[in-house]
Amino acid sequence: MINIRPLSFLLGLFLAVVAGLMLIPAGVSLYHAEGLAGEFFKSSMITFIAAMMAASTGFRSRLTLSTRDLYLFTTLTWVVVSLFAALPFTFYHHISYTDAFFETMSGITTTGSTVLSGLDDTAWSILIWRSLLQWLGGIGFIVMGVAIFPMLNVGGMRLFRTESSDWSDKWMPRTQLIGRSLVKVYLLLTVLCCLGYLAAGMTPFEAINHAMTTLSTGGYSTTDSSMTHFSSLAHWNGSLFMFLGGLPMLIFVQMMHMRSVRVWNDQQVKGYLAFVIAASLTLGWWLSREQQMEFFPALTLATFNLISVVTTTGFASTDYSAWGPAASIIFFFLMFVGACSGSTSGAIKIFRFQLAGAVLHKALRQQIHPSAQFPQRYNRRTISEDIVRSLVSFSMLFIATIVLLALFLVLVGVDPVSSLTGAVTAVTNVGPGLGEVIGPAGNFASLPDAAKWALSLGMLLGRLEIITVAVLLLPTFWRY
Amino acid sequence: MINIRPLSFLLGLFLAVVAGLMLIPAGVSLYHAEGLAGEFFKSSMITFIAAMMAASTGFRSRLTLSTRDLYLFTTLTWVVVSLFAALPFTFYHHISYTDAFFETMSGITTTGSTVLSGLDDTAWSILIWRSLLQWLGGIGFIVMGVAIFPMLNVGGMRLFRTESSDWSDKWMPRTQLIGRSLVKVYLLLTVLCCLGYLAAGMTPFEAINHAMTTLSTGGYSTTDSSMTHFSSLAHWNGSLFMFLGGLPMLIFVQMMHMRSVRVWNDQQVKGYLAFVIAASLTLGWWLSREQQMEFFPALTLATFNLISVVTTTGFASTDYSAWGPAASIIFFFLMFVGACSGSTSGAIKIFRFQLAGAVLHKALRQQIHPSAQFPQRYNRRTISEDIVRSLVSFSMLFIATIVLLALFLVLVGVDPVSSLTGAVTAVTNVGPGLGEVIGPAGNFASLPDAAKWALSLGMLLGRLEIITVAVLLLPTFWRY
Ligand SMILES: [K+]
Ligand SMILES: [K+]
């Protein structure tokens, strides 16, 4: 049996938080005299009533969740929260509920694909609501990556099981402590990022919004021209904090608690750093040669755009499709990479490449020496068979999701390039695709409604590492 | 130590066979009075001298090969044979050695990408040489798939280990018997296919050539318009024999020897049949709706083009990019599918999808019931961990090869669509790509030389299931 009542209670709590947060843009609207405060109050009220109904259904039930409850709870929360968080957009002129839901799901999954244009003239309250959604989605995903995914072994993430991912009563106080520390670190980094942007010449409003969407690797901006609008210093500040957003946030917490930098001796972090440095330098060198630019400006652009894609942030700074035909293929492949587990970034992620590489290296040596024993370790842990199988499942589902989504898009009339890159950018949570329609300079408004719902589903699947949602489709999940 | 001398001896034997086969186009040229016989005699002579030198180096050595020798031998044979088999093309006007080697590698790997145009006016001897290369490559790959790959466990192919894939002295007579039976079945099917084409209105020369390139799932044609040139009956005959070419050839042999049709109760064969029927009907229905065609002509075209891509034959019949934008995405994904193991077809192949599906299904159930035991079987054999790991390695290498090849192509100046689909079509051994340059209506002549060499390597890697070549890159392979 699925425990409906505690699920309902928890859902109610989440919705109440969303209702509360809607008062922030309401405040902004009042302060800025935009006349949208009423819309936000209305949304907040509706959400709050729903929250009370859900919470009262499950009130006084015991808060014990089985593994199966967790799967259902995770998926349900993201969907229901998005359904309500979309309300403020629908009250904004010209926006259908489809568009509002797409924008919300894109925000909360930190994907950052947008259907809005004319951002420079959009009400501040709407802009801050978009940024807030990304910032909250980001921390939500970090907490899932630390506390839920390792326990469920989603896509081989049992590798990252620590005491903080134990879900028993005994560890509850410790889990809460770590949760609070994660939020503190995330908040601190956001403030630092904001100060950096201020120093780089952004207005306070721009700095606050971009700090929230940088740390969460979300990529929403307050201007249609995205980061192109800002200085070179702002680019480097963005590069730095997107990079930090791609790190396993738990390591900052461990460093604080253990007062030691030894925790940074982590295979995934080292691989991520090495990849970003090597790829940025290569891309910068190639760009300076290809476009006859000086090396430093080329490196600035290359690093920013590379980190933006690899961390799945998706900020655009100059339309890289203007860098020649090679760039489109390079950036297409880079979309799949992703940063570290337990960060805000999506896509495949560095540790899975490292795991697959280790499995490959062992398998090739085994081809030559069939009976030899090759031990296999990752970060001093054995790569067990269930981790390998979980990795295979993740990769399969990841590719199958993209293929099916792309086929669906092309069949409802989206052009081939937008279909393929749109499917990829949704499932990897990067944000912009390639091509004229949904490329870095375009937006998703012109797509048919069916495509927008399918892409929303793709973003959710990508954010929840697909497996979390896929198990819900098994008949055995519902059987007893 | 690598056993150079027996390798050299065997290579000599293979080259001698190639030298002998060059006399067939020489005969065609004499009969047809094309004046190219001398060129073929010259090529044959050069190849024969090389063959004698190689064979004499290894003469009287013991013919025992270790696993490592087999890896080296397999790769070496295909490369060296291609180097010599390319000679007749170089003697033909306007063709550089790069183009000749590309055409040969494309032929012998049964890829069927071509740099030649004006096929309708090309000398018969050249056309028959291309078809022969594909026909020989096809049977060569079948024998590898039965006798070598299962023993080496290339990409999970240990699943298909039978007595015929044992490489010990004891089984040698039996292996030879099965080898001869395979050749007989292949020859018989080719003759039947040829008769079918004759009945469908082809000239004898067209029928012979197309029969050879149909059974081998190679896809070379004697006319620039490929199969568009021929009747609807020829399409159905082609569909049937491409489908048969995609079956595990060993099952025909087992059926003959065991006088039983029970051998067809095979999970891979059933999956392949089900997929082809379901996909053809769907595509036919979609095409008739999309293009306002009658159902039967639409089904004819859909079935032919689907089987052509899925079996990695790559015959073109009507440029399917004219079927609207959705078709390009559908055919792009279909390129990856492939038919059965132990057939002449390339790409990923049905059994790997079935294996991955089984692993996925188990892993998802394991997510819900972490401690339950789920046994896993494929064709009544257990899916062991080394098979899963071999599958992971294959998939990784397959994708990595395509990505690196596509990046290389775009960096040497090929356009993005040709780069991506060219890399896919080479590694999957399909033949034509998508887009204006290398699409079903185009050819590869205009690509830069570097791209042609890289694509040749891609075809070879695809044909040898990548792993066979990849182990040669390990330092430990050469160490002792
Ligand atoms: K993003
Ligand atoms: K082919």
Side-chain angles (χ1 to χ4, degrees), chain B residues 108-429:
Chain B
I108 212 158
T109 57
T110 76
T111 305
S113 304
T114 188
V115 290
L116 299 183
S117 55
L119 290 177
D120 304 78
D121 303 323
T122 298
W124 279 21
S125 51
I126 290 288
L127 292 175
I128 201 101
W129 184 234
R130 293 164 85 236
S131 307
L132 255 177
L133 286 175
Q134 293 207 322
W135 194 77
L136 293 168
I139 184 67
F141 188 61
I142 291 173
V143 170
M144 285 202 307
V146 170
I148 298 184
F149 290 161
M151 203 194 54
L152 300 179
N153 190 24
V154 167
M157 286 175 79
R158 175 158 302 151
L159 271 177
F160 303 103
R161 193 164 194 166
T162 59
E163 303 94 75
S164 48
S165 50
D166 263 310
W167 196 255
S168 58
D169 288 344
K170 192 177 152 202
W171 289 105
M172 221 31 172
R174 194 182 160 86
T175 305
Q176 285 178 0
L177 176 73
I178 287 174
R180 270 197 298 270
S181 303
L182 283 172
V183 174
K184 274 184 212 158
V185 168
Y186 188 62
L187 199 58
L188 178 68
L189 288 174
T190 310
V191 170
L192 290 176
C193 179
C194 180
L195 294 175
Y197 278 137
L198 280 174
M202 283 192 187
T203 68
F205 183 74
E206 288 166 347
I208 292 170
N209 278 284
H210 283 91
M212 287 199 282
T213 62
T214 300
L215 247 294
S216 61
T217 66
Y220 273 157
S221 179
T222 55
T223 157
D224 281 337
S225 44
S226 194
M227 288 291 286
T228 322
H229 200 69
F230 303 106
S231 68
S232 163
L233 208 57
H235 280 75
W236 282 105
N237 188 64
S239 296
L240 173 65
F241 284 95
M242 287 190 286
F243 179 81
L244 294 177
L247 284 169
M249 217 45 65
L250 188 63
I251 294 192
F252 290 100
V253 174
Q254 287 168 332
M255 184 177 67
M256 276 164 39
H257 284 260
M258 297 164 79
R259 299 182 186 286
S260 156
V261 293
R262 256 192 326 120
V263 290
W264 290 102
N265 184 18
D266 178 279
Q267 204 168 336
Q268 184 169 217
V269 171
K270 287 190 284 189
Y272 171 48
L273 184 62
F275 177 76
V276 165
I277 291 177
S280 297
L281 287 174
T282 312
L283 196 64
W285 168 79
W286 175 79
L287 185 63
S288 76
R289 224 194 52 162
E290 193 77 4
Q291 302 279 304
Q292 279 94 42
M293 286 169 74
E294 303 249 343
F295 181 69
F296 191 75
L299 185 68
T300 305
L301 278 181
T303 306
F304 182 85
N305 282 288
L306 178 105
I307 294 184
S308 170
V309 172
V310 167
T311 60
T312 72
T313 307
F315 275 136
S317 161
T318 71
D319 184 350
Y320 42 68
S321 44
W323 296 358
S328 59
I329 290 281
I330 294 172
F331 279 95
F332 177 70
F333 289 137
L334 284 175
M335 281 185 184
F336 290 87
V337 180
C340 301
S341 68
S343 75
T344 57
S345 81
I348 294 177
K349 301 189 183 67
I350 301 289
F351 82 96
R352 293 208 178 90
F353 288 98
Q354 293 176 318
L355 269 185
V359 170
L360 174 63
H361 190 219
K362 171 173 170 168
L364 285 181
R365 285 185 300 167
Q366 206 88 65
Q367 298 282 143
I368 311 174
H369 307 290
S371 51
Q373 291 289 326
F374 299 104
Q376 277 217 285
R377 317 197 63 101
Y378 183 77
N379 264 345
R380 294 171 297 283
R381 293 187 183 206
T382 305
I383 303 176
S384 61
E385 199 193 349
D386 67 325
I387 287 172
V388 173
R389 284 174 175 264
S390 182
L391 183 72
V392 178
S393 314
F394 172 83
S395 317
M396 284 271 310
L397 284 173
F398 194 82
I399 293 170
T401 305
I402 289 173
V403 169
L404 292 177
L405 183 51
L407 284 177
F408 182 84
L409 293 177
V410 85
L411 288 176
V412 298
V414 180
D415 71 280
V417 171
S418 301
S419 294
L420 186 60
T421 64
V424 172
T425 207
V427 176
T428 57
N429 300 125

